[in-house]
Amino acid sequence: MTSPALPAPVVSLAYHSGFGHTAVLAEAVRAAAAGAGATVHLIKVDEITEAQWELLDASDAIVFGSPTYMGTASGAFHTFAEATAKRWATRAWQDKLAAGFTNSASKSGDKLHTLQFFTVLAAQHGMNWVSLNLLPGWNSSTSSENDLNRLGFFLGAAAQSDNDQGPEGVHKADIATAEHLGRRIAEQARLYAAGRAALAA
C-alpha cells in the first residue's frame, strides 16, 4: 500500500531590491525552487499587500532577500521586518523554514551582518534556519571566481555586483549559488513536510 503523495512545499521569497541586482538573485532562487518541485511566491516587501502577508503565513518556508546597504539590510527590508511583529506576537511563523540571500558591491561589504540579521529575525519568529551547505570556492591557486559560493559564505547566498553595472552585471557564479539555495530550501521543505506527515500518521 503506497501513501498518498504530499502536496508541493510552498516557498515564499520576501525580498527588496534597490537597483535590480537582488531581484536577479530572487528570480534565480525562485526558478530553482520551482524546478525542484516547490510552489513559489515572489513578494516585494516594499509593495507587500495583505494577500501577500497571508501567502507568507501559509508558506512552509520563507526566504529573506535584501541588498546590503551600510552594513545591513536595506531600510525597506527593515521596515518589513518590523511589520512582522504582528506575526511574532501570534507565533504565526513558528517552525517554518527560513533562508536568505544578499548582494553588495564589495567582495565582503559586511554581507555577513545582513545574513546574521536574517537569522536573528527568523529565530525571533521560532523558525528553523536552512544554511547554504556549500563549501567555499575561489580560495586556492587552482580555483576560480566562477566557483559556486565564490565569496565563501555559509549562512546564505551572497553575491557581489560592481557598482557601475546594472542587474546584467550580477556574476554568473553568484546566480548559480542562488539557484543552489533555491533547490536546497525546496528539498528541505519537502523533507520537513514529510516528517510532519509521518508523525501525524
Side-chain angles (χ1 to χ4, degrees):
M1 180 176 178
T2 60
S3 58
L6 292 171
V10 179
V11 177
S12 288
L13 277 64
Y15 77 99
H16 174 245
S17 184
F19 298 96
H21 306 89
T22 309
V24 171
L25 300 175
E27 173 55 27
V29 175
R30 183 209 65 77
T39 298
V40 189
H41 304 292
L42 279 178
I43 298 171
K44 297 179 180 180
V45 299
D46 53 335
E47 302 174 3
I48 192 168
T49 65
E50 188 55 41
Q52 289 174 324
W53 279 111
E54 292 172 4
L55 287 176
L56 292 174
D57 295 343
S59 297
D60 298 298
I62 301 174
V63 184
F64 302 125
S66 170
T68 294
Y69 293 156
M70 302 306 294
T72 188
S74 66
F77 192 92
H78 275 270
T79 297
F80 161 77
E82 290 182 19
T84 69
K86 292 180 180 178
R87 271 69 190 171
W88 172 84
T90 62
R91 312 314 290 157
W93 293 357
Q94 180 173 295
D95 294 330
K96 294 183 186 298
L97 299 183
F101 59 94
T102 187
N103 175 83
S104 72
S106 298
K107 294 292 190 294
S108 171
D110 293 318
K111 284 187 276 282
L112 178 60
H113 185 262
T114 298
L115 294 172
Q116 288 172 329
F117 169 72
F118 292 158
T119 64
V120 172
L121 175 63
Q124 290 206 349
H125 281 283
M127 303 170 81
N128 298 296
W129 187 259
V130 176
S131 66
L132 186 59
N133 192 30
L134 273 179
L135 292 175
W138 201 21
N139 63 359
S140 73
S141 61
T142 59
S143 58
S144 162
E145 68 172 307
N146 295 312
D147 293 342
L148 288 178
N149 196 19
R150 68 188 182 110
L151 301 179
F153 285 81
F154 288 88
L155 278 184
Q160 180 271 330
S161 303
D162 292 338
N163 61 17
D164 59 351
Q165 289 187 302
E168 74 285 350
V170 179
H171 200 286
K172 293 186 185 307
D174 296 338
I175 293 172
T177 301
E179 290 170 343
H180 171 88
L181 179 65
R183 286 188 294 272
R184 177 161 164 76
I185 193 70
E187 291 162 0
Q188 292 301 305
R190 182 183 299 107
L191 288 171
Y192 202 71
R196 282 200 307 259
L199 287 173

Coordinates of all heavy atoms in Angstrom, one line a residue, residues 109-142:
G109 N 31.8 43.6 2.0 CA 30.8 44.6 2.1 C 29.9 44.4 3.3 O 28.8 45.0 3.4
D110 N 30.4 43.7 4.3 CA 29.6 43.4 5.5 C 28.3 42.6 5.3 O 27.4 42.7 6.0 CB 29.4 44.6 6.4 CG 30.7 45.2 6.9 OD1 31.5 44.4 7.4 OD2 30.9 46.4 6.9
K111 N 28.3 41.8 4.2 CA 27.2 41.0 3.9 C 26.8 40.0 5.0 O 25.7 39.7 5.2 CB 27.4 40.2 2.5 CG 27.3 41.1 1.3 CD 27.4 40.3 0.0 CE 28.8 40.0 -0.4 NZ 29.4 41.1 -1.1
L112 N 27.9 39.6 5.7 CA 27.6 38.6 6.8 C 26.6 39.2 7.8 O 25.8 38.5 8.3 CB 28.9 38.2 7.5 CG 28.8 37.3 8.7 CD1 28.2 36.0 8.2 CD2 30.1 37.0 9.3
H113 N 26.7 40.5 8.0 CA 25.9 41.1 9.0 C 24.4 41.1 8.6 O 23.5 40.8 9.4 CB 26.3 42.6 9.3 CG 25.5 43.2 10.4 ND1 24.4 44.0 10.1 CD2 25.6 43.2 11.7 CE1 23.9 44.5 11.2 NE2 24.6 44.0 12.2
T114 N 24.2 41.2 7.3 CA 22.8 41.1 6.7 C 22.3 39.7 6.9 O 21.1 39.5 7.3 CB 22.8 41.5 5.2 OG1 23.2 42.9 5.1 CG2 21.4 41.4 4.7
L115 N 23.1 38.7 6.6 CA 22.6 37.3 6.7 C 22.4 37.0 8.2 O 21.4 36.3 8.6 CB 23.7 36.4 6.2 CG 23.8 36.4 4.6 CD1 25.0 35.6 4.2 CD2 22.5 36.0 3.9
Q116 N 23.2 37.6 9.1 CA 23.0 37.3 10.5 C 21.7 38.0 11.0 O 21.0 37.5 11.8 CB 24.2 37.9 11.3 CG 25.4 37.0 11.2 CD 26.7 37.6 11.8 OE1 26.8 38.8 11.9 NE2 27.6 36.7 12.3
F117 N 21.4 39.2 10.4 CA 20.2 39.9 10.8 C 19.0 39.0 10.4 O 18.0 38.9 11.1 CB 20.1 41.2 10.0 CG 18.8 41.9 10.1 CD1 18.3 42.5 11.2 CD2 18.0 42.0 8.9 CE1 17.1 43.1 11.3 CE2 16.7 42.6 9.0 CZ 16.3 43.1 10.1
F118 N 19.1 38.4 9.2 CA 18.0 37.5 8.8 C 17.9 36.3 9.8 O 16.7 35.9 10.1 CB 18.3 36.9 7.4 CG 18.2 37.9 6.3 CD1 18.9 37.6 5.1 CD2 17.5 39.1 6.3 CE1 18.9 38.5 4.0 CE2 17.5 40.0 5.3 CZ 18.2 39.7 4.1
T119 N 19.0 35.8 10.2 CA 18.9 34.6 11.1 C 18.3 35.0 12.5 O 17.5 34.2 13.0 CB 20.3 33.9 11.4 OG1 21.1 34.9 12.0 CG2 20.9 33.5 10.1
V120 N 18.6 36.2 13.0 CA 18.0 36.6 14.2 C 16.5 36.9 14.0 O 15.7 36.5 14.9 CB 18.7 37.9 14.7 CG1 18.0 38.5 15.9 CG2 20.2 37.6 15.1
L121 N 16.1 37.5 12.9 CA 14.7 37.7 12.6 C 14.0 36.3 12.6 O 12.9 36.2 13.2 CB 14.6 38.4 11.3 CG 13.1 38.6 10.7 CD1 12.3 39.5 11.7 CD2 13.2 39.2 9.3
A122 N 14.6 35.3 11.9 CA 14.0 34.0 11.9 C 13.9 33.4 13.3 O 12.9 32.8 13.6 CB 14.8 33.1 10.9
A123 N 15.0 33.5 14.1 CA 15.0 33.0 15.4 C 13.9 33.6 16.3 O 13.3 32.9 17.1 CB 16.4 33.1 16.0
Q124 N 13.7 34.9 16.1 CA 12.7 35.5 17.0 C 11.3 35.0 16.6 O 10.4 35.0 17.5 CB 12.7 37.0 16.8 CG 14.0 37.7 17.4 CD 13.8 39.1 17.8 OE1 12.8 39.7 17.5 NE2 14.7 39.6 18.6
H125 N 11.1 34.6 15.4 CA 9.8 34.0 15.0 C 9.8 32.5 15.3 O 8.7 31.9 15.0 CB 9.6 34.2 13.5 CG 9.2 35.6 13.1 ND1 7.9 36.0 13.3 CD2 9.8 36.7 12.6 CE1 7.7 37.3 12.9 NE2 8.9 37.7 12.5
G126 N 10.8 31.9 15.8 CA 10.8 30.5 16.1 C 11.0 29.6 14.8 O 10.6 28.5 14.8
M127 N 11.6 30.2 13.8 CA 11.8 29.5 12.5 C 13.0 28.7 12.6 O 13.9 28.9 13.5 CB 11.8 30.5 11.4 CG 10.6 31.4 11.3 SD 10.7 32.7 10.1 CE 10.4 31.8 8.5
N128 N 13.2 27.8 11.6 CA 14.4 26.9 11.5 C 15.2 27.3 10.3 O 14.7 27.3 9.2 CB 14.0 25.4 11.4 CG 13.2 25.0 12.6 OD1 13.7 24.9 13.7 ND2 11.9 24.6 12.4
W129 N 16.4 27.8 10.6 CA 17.3 28.3 9.5 C 17.9 27.2 8.7 O 18.5 26.2 9.2 CB 18.4 29.2 10.1 CG 19.2 29.9 9.1 CD1 20.4 29.6 8.6 CD2 18.8 31.1 8.4 NE1 20.8 30.5 7.6 CE2 19.8 31.5 7.5 CE3 17.6 31.9 8.5 CZ2 19.7 32.6 6.7 CZ3 17.6 33.0 7.6 CH2 18.6 33.3 6.8
V130 N 17.9 27.4 7.4 CA 18.5 26.5 6.4 C 19.7 27.2 5.8 O 19.6 28.2 5.2 CB 17.5 26.1 5.3 CG1 18.2 25.2 4.2 CG2 16.3 25.4 5.9
S131 N 20.9 26.6 6.1 CA 22.1 27.2 5.6 C 22.4 26.9 4.1 O 21.6 26.1 3.5 CB 23.3 26.7 6.4 OG 23.5 25.3 6.2
L132 N 23.4 27.5 3.6 CA 23.7 27.3 2.2 C 24.2 25.9 1.9 O 23.9 25.3 0.8 CB 24.7 28.3 1.7 CG 25.1 28.4 0.2 CD1 23.9 28.7 -0.6 CD2 26.2 29.4 0.0
N133 N 25.0 25.3 2.8 CA 25.5 24.0 2.7 C 26.4 23.8 1.4 O 26.2 22.9 0.6 CB 24.4 22.9 2.7 CG 25.0 21.5 2.9 OD1 26.1 21.3 3.5 ND2 24.4 20.5 2.3
L134 N 27.3 24.8 1.2 CA 28.2 24.7 0.1 C 29.6 25.0 0.7 O 29.8 26.0 1.4 CB 27.9 25.8 -1.0 CG 27.0 25.4 -2.1 CD1 26.8 26.6 -3.0 CD2 27.5 24.2 -2.9
L135 N 30.6 24.2 0.4 CA 32.0 24.6 0.7 C 32.4 25.9 0.0 O 31.9 26.1 -1.1 CB 32.9 23.4 0.4 CG 32.7 22.2 1.2 CD1 33.7 21.1 0.7 CD2 33.0 22.4 2.7
P136 N 33.3 26.6 0.5 CA 33.7 27.9 -0.2 C 34.5 27.6 -1.4 O 35.2 26.6 -1.5 CB 34.5 28.6 0.9 CG 35.0 27.5 1.8 CD 33.9 26.5 1.8
G137 N 34.3 28.4 -2.4 CA 35.0 28.3 -3.7 C 36.1 29.4 -3.8 O 36.2 30.3 -2.9
W138 N 36.8 29.5 -4.8 CA 37.8 30.6 -5.1 C 38.7 30.9 -4.0 O 39.0 32.0 -3.7 CB 37.0 31.8 -5.5 CG 37.8 32.8 -6.3 CD1 38.9 32.6 -7.1 CD2 37.4 34.2 -6.5 NE1 39.3 33.8 -7.7 CE2 38.4 34.8 -7.3 CE3 36.4 35.0 -6.0 CZ2 38.4 36.1 -7.7 CZ3 36.4 36.3 -6.4 CH2 37.4 36.9 -7.2
N139 N 39.2 29.8 -3.4 CA 40.1 30.0 -2.2 C 41.4 29.3 -2.3 O 42.1 29.0 -1.3 CB 39.4 29.7 -0.9 CG 39.0 28.2 -0.8 OD1 39.3 27.4 -1.7 ND2 38.4 27.8 0.3
S140 N 41.8 28.9 -3.6 CA 43.1 28.3 -3.8 C 43.6 28.7 -5.1 O 42.9 29.3 -5.9 CB 43.0 26.8 -3.7 OG 42.3 26.3 -4.9
S141 N 44.9 28.4 -5.4 CA 45.5 28.8 -6.6 C 44.9 28.1 -7.8 O 45.1 28.5 -9.0 CB 47.0 28.5 -6.6 OG 47.3 27.1 -6.4
T142 N 44.2 27.0 -7.6 CA 43.6 26.2 -8.7 C 42.1 26.4 -8.8 O 41.5 25.9 -9.7 CB 43.9 24.7 -8.5 OG1 43.3 24.3 -7.3 CG2 45.4 24.4 -8.5

